[in-house]
Amino acid sequence: MEGIIALLIPFGAFAVAGFAIWTGHQRKMIKMRGEFPTAHGADAERMREELKYLKDRVAVLEQITTDGHSSKQLKNEIEQLRDR
């Protein structure tokens, strides 16, 4: 029994050290990929609003490019959108 405990103590130390190295690596990988934990509360609401705003902007830009206006009309529409 004492022999088993003597073997488990160093194994436990190596296991803890390995786990610490692994979790540090996982954090670095998450930062590199730009994946962050799900936001809650005010941050989540702000991100939803910003996403909706950007989707609306893309929809307007798609409409402008597919309407077939002349270049002068297109220039005027872009200026109107910038003034918003």
Side-chain angles (χ1 to χ4, degrees), residues 12-61:
F14 284 115
V16 169
F19 183 73
I21 292 170
W22 179 78
T23 55
H25 174 72
Q26 292 300 315
R27 284 188 191 137
K28 287 180 186 176
M29 294 301 293
I30 288 171
K31 283 184 180 179
M32 286 175 53
R33 283 186 260 159
E35 298 174 10
F36 299 103
T38 305
H40 298 285
D43 283 342
E45 186 61 31
R46 183 186 55 77
M47 284 192 276
R48 279 189 210 98
E49 289 173 5
E50 187 173 346
L51 181 61
K52 183 183 180 317
Y53 172 75
L54 292 173
K55 284 183 177 181
D56 291 344
R57 292 283 308 254
V58 168
V60 169
L61 292 172

